[in-house]
Amino acid sequence: MTIRLAALLLLAWAATPPTAGAGGWERVSPGGDTVCGTGAPFSFFVRKAGRSDLLVFFQGGGACWSSQTCDLAGSPTWDPTVDPSDLAENQQGILDLANPANPFRDYSVVFVPYCTGDVHLGARRERYVGIDEADAVRITEIEHRGRANAMAALRWAFEARPKVRRAFVTGESAGGVASAHYAGVVAEHYPGARVAQLADSSGAFRARAVPDLMDTWGASAGLRELPGFDGRDLDFEALYLASASRSPQVSWAQVNRADDGVQAFFVSLVGRSDPTRALLAEAQAVLRGGLASFRTYLAPGTAHTILSTPAFYSEVVEGVRLRDWVAALASGSPADDVRCPECAR
């Protein structure tokens, strides 16, 4: 897992004005209460298209919740910057809008980078205290402001596209977690649109520590104010169930690899050593019990994330190409669960 720490490069790059890039991508710097975890500016990327269809993509990039995991001088497990490597025009797979096989090539697109370590949901500044190698106290302050950043990107979309016919809300890893919440936000804003959600490589983040992490990031207070969260443990599955209670028209889905090593690594950091496929089965049983439209695509392998890679077009499980399965979700066509035969628990 690569952690990008190019803060000096970021400062020079972020000072430049918004620009349009190849393929019509444009960088938007919203200002206001948006910020990355270290206090650096936040930006997001958009591609405007003529059709009334919208794709919202939440980037992944780890998470942090302690001095050990947040301190950039230690062993950080999160990406703290929005830098040139985040430019959506450099992405592949679902974000390769020049590919004629891409079912979203004619959509307007909002690409939401991730630089806050809080699965795009945080709403506080947190102070972490640690001890360095010289036994000196080290203070790390992180701006967990993922919610403000995400909502700034969505507000741009709502203004730029007052009406949409279809909206597809997706994301990878931490961004996949966030997609379950923000799909409901999108659906509430566009009550007449067909809204579909798909989380990539985030279905196995299931541990007793998750509600505590949500508290640490300041995510819990804001979510508890919304209908659907009353009486629920604030784990990642609750994001789906609460959103569905408010927006029953949304379809819900996940794509995962059965032995995803990154998901297993993060869960191990908070005390669970179960195999990824066992965690997936446990979490998805909860979702199947509460979401009639919930669908899953389980591919073999240990790699993390699929949608923004060439595998989006080449992955085939049980004769079903992932690209075609996702296109069916977006269009509202029937899509069955797909599971690799060798992935049986």
Side-chain angles (χ1 to χ4, degrees):
M1 177 178 55
T2 299
I3 304 296
R4 296 185 294 274
L5 303 176
L8 293 178
L9 178 60
L10 164 71
L11 293 177
W13 174 78
T16 60
T19 57
W25 286 105
E26 183 178 339
R27 179 167 59 88
V28 179
S29 299
D33 58 355
T34 67
V35 67
C36 285
T38 58
F42 170 75
S43 297
F44 59 92
F45 304 97
V46 301
R47 198 288 294 266
K48 301 174 185 176
R51 288 179 53 182
S52 59
D53 296 326
L54 175 66
L55 170 66
V56 181
F57 186 99
F58 290 91
Q59 186 186 34
C64 83
W65 54 88
S66 65
S67 176
Q68 180 180 5
T69 58
C70 292
D71 189 344
L72 300 184
S75 301
T77 55
W78 66 298
D79 181 349
T81 64
V82 179
D83 61 39
S85 67
D86 292 300
L87 280 170
E89 66 195 34
N90 293 332
Q91 301 296 316
Q92 304 179 80
I94 199 172
L95 292 166
D96 178 3
L97 302 177
N99 190 328
N102 190 338
F104 304 100
R105 64 188 179 278
D106 295 323
Y107 280 50
S108 291
V109 183
V110 178
F111 177 90
V112 187
Y114 178 50
C115 60
T116 50
D118 56 10
V119 298
H120 294 272
L121 291 171
R124 71 185 296 178
R125 176 186 297 166
E126 182 66 13
R127 192 169 184 260
Y128 298 101
V129 181
I131 304 296
D132 64 18
E133 294 180 354
D135 291 330
V137 174
R138 184 174 177 86
I139 305 297
T140 302
E141 288 195 345
I142 302 297
E143 296 283 358
H144 292 301
R145 304 290 180 180
R147 185 186 308 164
N149 295 352
M151 289 306 302
L154 290 182
R155 282 193 295 270
W156 180 93
F158 297 159
E159 182 175 347
R161 289 290 177 265
K163 295 182 180 180
V164 301
R165 179 183 56 155
R166 295 182 296 191
F168 196 81
V169 183
T170 186
E172 294 180 321
S173 195
V177 172
S179 70
H181 171 66
Y182 291 112
V185 175
V186 170
E188 288 179 276
H189 186 81
Y190 298 118
R194 164 165 181 78
V195 179
Q197 176 269 351
L198 172 63
D200 174 14
S201 301
S202 60
F205 296 136
R206 183 163 174 82
R208 290 182 179 178
V210 169
D212 292 335
L213 300 184
M214 298 285 266
D215 287 342
T216 297
W217 297 327
S220 302
L223 292 173
R224 290 287 185 203
E225 295 175 0
L226 300 174
F229 283 103
D230 295 341
R232 297 188 192 278
D233 287 337
L234 235 173
D235 55 21
F236 295 153
E237 290 71 50
L239 299 175
Y240 286 86
L241 299 173
S243 288
S245 72
R246 301 190 303 273
S247 303
Q249 74 273 29
V250 179
S251 65
W252 310 93
Q254 290 183 356
V255 55
N256 292 278
R257 291 198 184 278
D259 300 300
D260 183 332
V262 171
Q263 292 197 68
F265 166 75
F266 272 96
V267 172
S268 73
L269 292 181
V270 291
R272 290 200 69 175
S273 58
D274 305 70
T276 299
R277 59 182 66 193
L279 294 166
L280 286 171
E282 181 181 316
Q284 291 177 354
V286 173
L287 296 178
R288 291 186 195 285
L291 304 173
S293 65
F294 183 63
R295 297 292 181 267
T296 62
Y297 189 109
L298 185 62
T302 61
H304 188 57
T305 77
I306 305 175
L307 293 183
S308 67
T309 75
F312 174 66
Y313 300 100
S314 62
E315 189 72 52
V316 178
V317 174
E318 287 287 88
V320 179
R321 188 163 61 138
L322 177 59
R323 179 264 174 218
D324 297 340
W325 188 80
V326 172
L329 294 176
S331 68
S333 301
D336 296 327
D337 290 336
V338 177
R339 182 186 181 92
C340 51
E342 65 272 35
C343 297
R345 185 176 174 182

